[in-house]
């Protein structure tokens, strides 16, 4: 009889289960070549003896570390947390640990990539919703592991994202269909990635929609801010101060749109009677505010990225470029303009 208070090793597990050392190792690491009955027996013995697989022993036996690095520019914002949740759920189901690297400032980002070649203790890297430049790409590839981009395309890595141009078109085309002609845009970009295609494409959707409708774009109706509600509120204040304010506002995200809504209401104006507002994301707070938006499945994108990582580690074929569809969700913040030409008679 084994005493669970004593240190138990892999040899003990193999002997107790009546299998070879290599079979016990494969069963514990969920590797191929082990029958379901044998794996169940080995796992039952391991549980009975309170055996914990050593990460280093697992690496030596299976040829991998059992860890995936995730590089993320923010951890406090809903979008990133939701995508991480989807990614982590898939990795956890495959007994892979997630190592989180938060590069929320330029200094953190530079420091991370400078030290990157020394971080060879992972099987894969997921770049979550930020672009990498050429030098950073080279540093990543020095690791010699699988790289997947989630929430946007980074370099030539396998990726999962939405079509941001289409999302922008869905939002602005809805406003045009309602009869709006003076449509403002509150564009959002992060200081860590100015001009990233994600931002450019949402803006491009705005401009192409206006052009197809025969409307000349007015740059006084465009404001560019950082992602976030407070920034959206300030941008909306600037738009309301115009001599001829917009009848509708398209925001790059729901959080920016919610900030704009606060400013509009504080100005004593009504939504959508005086101004219509539409965002992108389908943030839970946006649903509570009954915000018209373009829905994207953020958690599902994280899960798809996780499945791509697993396929790469198993050397299985998978789609290297997955575009997740978006959908216009019409709620109570959009309606036809009350008076053509703006708020003032």
């Amino acid at each position: 009889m084994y005493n669970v208070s004593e240190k138990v090793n892999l040899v003990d597990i193999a002997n107790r289960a009546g299998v070879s050392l290599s079979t016990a190792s494969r069963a514990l690491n969920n590797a191929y070549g082990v029958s379901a009955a044998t794996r169940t027996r080995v796992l039952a013995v391991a549980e009975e003896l309170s055996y914990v697989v050593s990460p280093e022993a697992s690496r030596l036996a299976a040829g991998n570390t059992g860890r995936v690095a995730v590089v993320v520019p923010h951890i406090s914002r809903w979008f990133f947390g939701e995508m991480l949740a989807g990614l982590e759920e898939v990795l956890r189901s495959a007994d892979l640990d997630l190592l989180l690297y938060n590069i929320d400032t330029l200094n953190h980002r530079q420091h991370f990539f400078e030290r990157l070649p020394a971080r060879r203790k992972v099987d894969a890297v997921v770049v979550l919703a930020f672009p990498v430049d050429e030098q950073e790409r080279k540093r990543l590839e020095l690791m010699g592991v699988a790289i997947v981009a989630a929430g946007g395309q980074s370099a030539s890595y396998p990726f999962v994202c939405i079509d941001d141009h289409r999302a922008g078109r869905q939002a602005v085309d809805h406003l045009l269909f309602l009869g709006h002609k003076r449509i403002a845009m509150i564009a959002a970009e992060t200081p860590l990635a100015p001009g990233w295609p994600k931002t450019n494409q949402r803006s491009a959707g705005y401009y192409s929609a206006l052009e197809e409708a025969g409307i000349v774009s007015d740059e006084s109706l465009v404001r560019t801010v950082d992602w976030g509600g407070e920034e959206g509120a300030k941008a909306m204040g600037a738009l309301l101060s115009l001599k001829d304010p917009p009848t509708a506002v398209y925001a790059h995200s729901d959080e920016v749109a919610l900030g704009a809504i606060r400013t509009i209401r504080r100005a004593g104006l009504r939504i959508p009677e005086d101004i219509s507002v539409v965002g992108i994301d389908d943030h839970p707070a946006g649903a509570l505010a009954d915000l018209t938006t373009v829905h994207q499945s953020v958690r599902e994108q994280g899960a798809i990225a996780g499945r791509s990582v697993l396929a790469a580690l198993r050397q299985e074929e998978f789609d290297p470029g997955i575009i997740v569809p978006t959908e216009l969700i019409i709620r109570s913040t959009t309606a036809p303009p009350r008076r053509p030409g703006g708020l003032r008679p």
Side-chain angles (χ1 to χ4, degrees), residues 244-264:
D244 188 9
T247 64
V249 177
Y250 154 57
H252 274 196
S253 79
D254 286 356
E255 290 168 288
V256 172
L258 290 171
I261 287 174
R262 189 186 74 182
T263 296
I264 292 169

Side-chain angles (χ1 to χ4, degrees), residues 26-302:
R26 290 198 302 274
L28 290 169
N29 287 286
N30 200 31
Y32 293 106
V34 181
S35 69
T38 299
R39 177 175 287 108
T40 299
R41 186 166 73 253
V42 171
L43 292 176
V45 170
E47 182 176 358
E48 177 186 351
L49 301 182
S50 300
Y51 176 74
V52 178
V53 179
S54 163
E56 290 306 312
S58 175
R59 179 184 65 80
L60 293 173
N64 57 52
T65 69
R67 295 185 289 264
V68 174
V70 180
V71 191
V72 59
H74 302 283
I75 57 175
S76 60
R77 294 182 180 176
W78 168 81
F79 177 89
F80 299 94
E82 190 75 359
M83 188 164 288
L84 277 171
L87 175 65
E88 192 274 338
E89 182 177 10
V90 171
L91 297 181
R92 174 163 38 86
S93 70
D95 293 326
L96 291 174
D97 292 328
L98 184 153
L99 300 182
L100 187 64
Y101 294 97
N102 182 21
I103 54 168
D104 56 350
T105 69
L106 186 58
N107 284 340
H108 288 164
R109 180 171 177 165
Q110 291 174 339
H111 184 66
F112 172 81
F113 281 102
E114 284 172 0
R115 297 184 57 194
L116 193 58
R119 303 183 189 273
R120 297 176 185 259
K121 299 179 180 179
V122 297
D123 300 322
V125 177
V126 178
V127 179
L128 203 156
F130 81 94
V132 295
D133 61 30
E134 183 63 18
Q135 184 61 31
E136 292 168 344
R137 181 188 65 79
K138 292 178 180 178
R139 303 289 284 184
L140 278 171
E141 292 174 358
L142 283 174
M143 299 180 71
V145 300
I147 302 170
V148 173
Q153 186 174 7
S154 297
S156 57
Y157 311 131
F159 66 89
V160 54
C161 63
I162 64 170
D163 183 336
D164 288 287
H165 184 275
R166 173 171 169 73
R169 283 297 304 256
Q170 287 173 302
V172 181
D173 284 344
H174 170 61
L175 296 174
L176 290 168
F177 174 80
L178 291 173
H180 293 278
K181 298 183 182 301
R182 192 159 176 77
I183 302 171
M185 175 174 66
I186 305 180
E189 66 178 21
T190 173
L192 285 176
W196 188 25
K198 184 184 191 72
T199 295
N200 287 348
Q201 287 303 309
R202 292 190 185 187
S203 295
Y206 167 80
Y207 288 113
S208 66
L210 294 183
E211 183 179 4
E212 286 189 18
I215 298 173
V216 178
S217 60
D218 181 350
E219 287 306 309
S220 72
L221 293 176
V222 177
R223 294 290 184 274
T224 301
V225 298
D226 193 0
W227 301 87
E230 290 297 331
E231 290 77 10
K234 293 175 184 176
M236 192 68 239
L239 292 169
L240 289 180
S241 70
L242 295 173
K243 182 178 180 180
D244 188 9
T247 64
V249 177
Y250 154 57
H252 274 196
S253 79
D254 286 356
E255 290 168 288
V256 172
L258 290 171
I261 287 174
R262 189 186 74 182
T263 296
I264 292 169
R265 287 176 174 161
R266 286 184 177 181
L269 301 172
R270 297 171 300 165
I271 300 170
E273 291 85 356
D274 296 316
I275 303 181
S276 287
V277 181
V278 62
I280 293 178
D281 282 338
D282 202 10
H283 190 294
L288 290 174
D290 212 26
L291 172 68
T292 295
T293 188
V294 176
H295 169 81
Q296 64 165 316
S297 300
V298 181
R299 184 179 290 248
E300 177 61 16
Q301 290 177 64

Side-chain angles (χ1 to χ4, degrees), residues 274-342:
D274 296 316
I275 303 181
S276 287
V277 181
V278 62
I280 293 178
D281 282 338
D282 202 10
H283 190 294
L288 290 174
D290 212 26
L291 172 68
T292 295
T293 188
V294 176
H295 169 81
Q296 64 165 316
S297 300
V298 181
R299 184 179 290 248
E300 177 61 16
Q301 290 177 64
I304 291 172
R307 292 193 287 270
S308 296
V309 168
L310 296 183
L313 294 181
R314 295 166 180 165
Q315 297 184 338
E316 299 172 349
E317 291 187 4
F318 64 98
D319 190 340
I322 299 175
I323 305 296
V324 176
T326 53
E327 178 186 2
L328 177 68
I329 306 295
I330 301 174
R331 298 191 179 113
S332 69
T333 61
T334 52
R338 185 166 59 91
R339 291 190 298 271

